[in-house]
Amino acid sequence: MKWLRITTALTGIAACGFMLAQVAPHAREAGAILAAQDDPAVLSELKLDALLRQNDHLVQDNIEAALAAGDADLADSFVALARDRNIALPDDLLGRVNDAVKAESSTSHFAKRFATGLVTGNADDVASLSGTVAGDLFVIGDIRDVVREGKHLAMGEDTDRLVLGLAAAGLAVTAATYVSVGGAAPVRAGLTLVKDARKVGRLGEGLAVWAGRSAREVVDTPALRNAVVSGSVLRPGETVSAIKAAFRAEKAGALVRLGKDVTRVAEKTGTRGAMDTLRIAEGPKDVARAARLAEAQGGKTRAIMKLLGRGALLLIGGAFNLALWLLSAALTLFGLLSSIKATTERLTQAWCDRKRARRLRRARIAAEAALANAAVTA
């Protein structure tokens, strides 16, 4: 029975040791992710490590998909990610990416996209954004959007109040840009991107709700309705003055911060990177996190967000599973230590019992010898 108890304890050590060896890597990774949940740069690196271990061809496949979709910028972002991770890519694939990037950056392509952005107010790359921002800086784009949506509002038709509010805010910020000699230009560009993302359906639902609520707070709707009823692109001075009077600048702080964060993303990742961010963001905090990620990862950011989605910015839905790994490791470690303790105690008890038995045996032998000597003497 004694040796059975010792064997059982030793078996517990072996079983808990094996389980701990299996659980420890997952627990270590879970602990690192939980510790990095407030740092999007570190969090995205840890998640990328786990994702790329599962598929060696993930980066190459995404480059092929980006080229097929005509998105040279995204393909180039994946090349930057591969270079950073020491992932080998075929030379012909790298050549195709370089050719696509050159074609997208050509003068003729830039001029065409610039004109598209200036005229339509829609942007999906650097060139069209440049045209859109230029139009907004000269108030043409914002007046066009305010008058168009304002007319819908006055006539009781479907109105995109978010575009209307952003355009009104943009007009006020444009005035500040001129006064500060470009100091407010980053905010202006960021608001333009948010407005364009809304137009082309790339604004996340949560962020759209938040931005719509913020836009309503900074705009006096009745005053704006009156302004746009009589407004016209042909009378920009009068229209801008009337619209500015309906703008509550003291309540625009949240939109201004959003515009700055969007511009920070665009400066590091390009216009499409900013659009990707606006598509997955559920609120301004997500955009602020994306700005921190972009400043840390640079050109790799688009590839990271393509692979991880909103999970690149924060811990989503996995906290419970990660905590379970840590709990499992803690319980397994406790079991291992308990088994070691039990084994040590049982071995010690066995050694003490054996020593006591040996001492008793020697005493008995001595007693028997003494009785024998006494019998002989008698």
Side-chain angles (χ1 to χ4, degrees):
M1 180 63 70
K2 176 173 56 181
W3 290 108
L4 177 61
R5 294 179 64 201
I6 293 174
T7 303
T8 302
L10 289 172
T11 302
I13 291 177
C16 290
F18 176 77
M19 290 180 62
L20 187 61
Q22 303 300 313
V23 172
H26 297 285
R28 184 168 55 250
E29 182 178 337
I33 290 176
L34 286 172
Q37 59 183 314
D38 294 324
D39 188 338
V42 177
L43 180 65
S44 63
E45 287 286 348
L46 293 171
K47 289 188 174 182
L48 275 177
D49 289 340
L51 186 63
L52 294 177
R53 281 198 301 267
Q54 300 173 9
N55 188 348
D56 295 336
H57 298 284
L58 186 62
V59 172
Q60 184 173 337
D61 293 343
N62 274 276
I63 293 176
E64 293 282 6
L67 290 175
D71 194 342
D73 181 73
L74 179 58
D76 194 46
S77 180
F78 273 105
V79 170
L81 179 63
R83 189 181 302 116
D84 180 71
R85 294 273 172 162
N86 295 318
I87 299 175
L89 296 174
D91 291 337
D92 65 317
L93 182 60
L94 293 174
R96 288 162 54 201
V97 173
N98 288 333
D99 292 341
V101 171
K102 289 179 181 178
E104 197 170 82
S105 304
S106 65
T107 303
S108 59
H109 182 272
F110 187 92
K112 180 180 178 181
R113 299 301 300 159
F114 181 92
T116 300
L118 179 63
V119 174
T120 66
N122 295 327
D124 60 2
D125 57 17
V126 175
S128 56
L129 176 65
S130 300
T132 303
V133 172
D136 286 351
L137 282 174
F138 288 104
V139 305
I140 298 173
D142 282 332
I143 291 179
R144 176 193 59 228
D145 293 332
V146 169
V147 171
R148 180 180 62 242
E149 299 300 332
K151 294 289 187 183
H152 293 322
L153 180 64
M155 298 178 66
E157 300 174 349
D158 290 338
T159 305
D160 194 327
R161 292 178 180 268
L162 176 53
V163 171
L164 181 61
L166 288 171
L171 288 172
V173 173
T174 299
T177 301
Y178 287 129
V179 171
S180 62
V181 193
V187 179
R188 167 69 277 175
L191 290 176
T192 296
L193 269 173
V194 177
K195 187 174 65 173
D196 290 339
R198 172 67 171 183
K199 290 179 180 178
V200 297
R202 295 186 183 179
L203 194 62
E205 183 178 351
L207 184 58
V209 171
W210 176 89
R213 184 169 58 250
S214 299
R216 289 187 183 93
E217 291 177 354
V218 301
V219 173
D220 183 342
T221 302
L224 181 62
R225 184 184 292 110
N226 293 333
V228 298
V229 166
S230 58
S232 172
V233 177
L234 301 178
R235 299 191 303 275
E238 297 176 12
T239 304
V240 170
S241 297
I243 292 172
K244 283 173 59 180
F247 181 74
R248 299 166 180 163
E250 70 279 2
K251 296 185 178 182
L255 280 178
V256 168
R257 286 191 295 273
L258 175 64
K260 288 181 178 179
D261 288 334
V262 172
T263 302
R264 286 167 60 197
V265 176
E267 286 174 347
K268 298 297 182 180
T269 68
T271 302
R272 290 180 176 177
M275 288 291 192
D276 291 345
T277 299
L278 292 171
R279 179 175 52 80
I280 65 175
E282 290 297 321
K285 290 183 179 180
D286 285 358
V287 180
R289 284 174 173 268
R292 292 170 56 192
L293 176 65
E295 289 173 347
Q297 301 290 4
K300 300 176 292 181
T301 306
R302 281 201 73 197
I304 292 172
M305 289 197 293
K306 175 67 175 178
L307 292 176
L308 301 178
R310 191 165 174 251
L313 306 179
L314 72 167
L315 196 58
I316 302 175
F320 181 74
N321 291 333
L322 295 174
L324 280 181
W325 280 117
L326 292 175
L327 179 61
S328 299
L331 291 176
T332 305
L333 179 60
F334 177 78
L336 176 62
L337 295 177
S338 297
S339 298
I340 292 174
K341 176 178 177 293
T343 302
T344 303
E345 291 174 346
R346 292 170 188 179
L347 286 173
T348 302
Q349 185 65 47
W351 181 79
C352 291
D353 291 344
R354 183 176 180 183
K355 186 176 181 180
R356 184 167 56 253
R358 187 181 301 139
R359 186 170 60 249
L360 291 174
R361 186 167 58 252
R362 284 199 298 265
R364 186 176 64 254
I365 292 173
E368 291 175 352
L371 288 174
N373 290 333
V376 171
T377 303

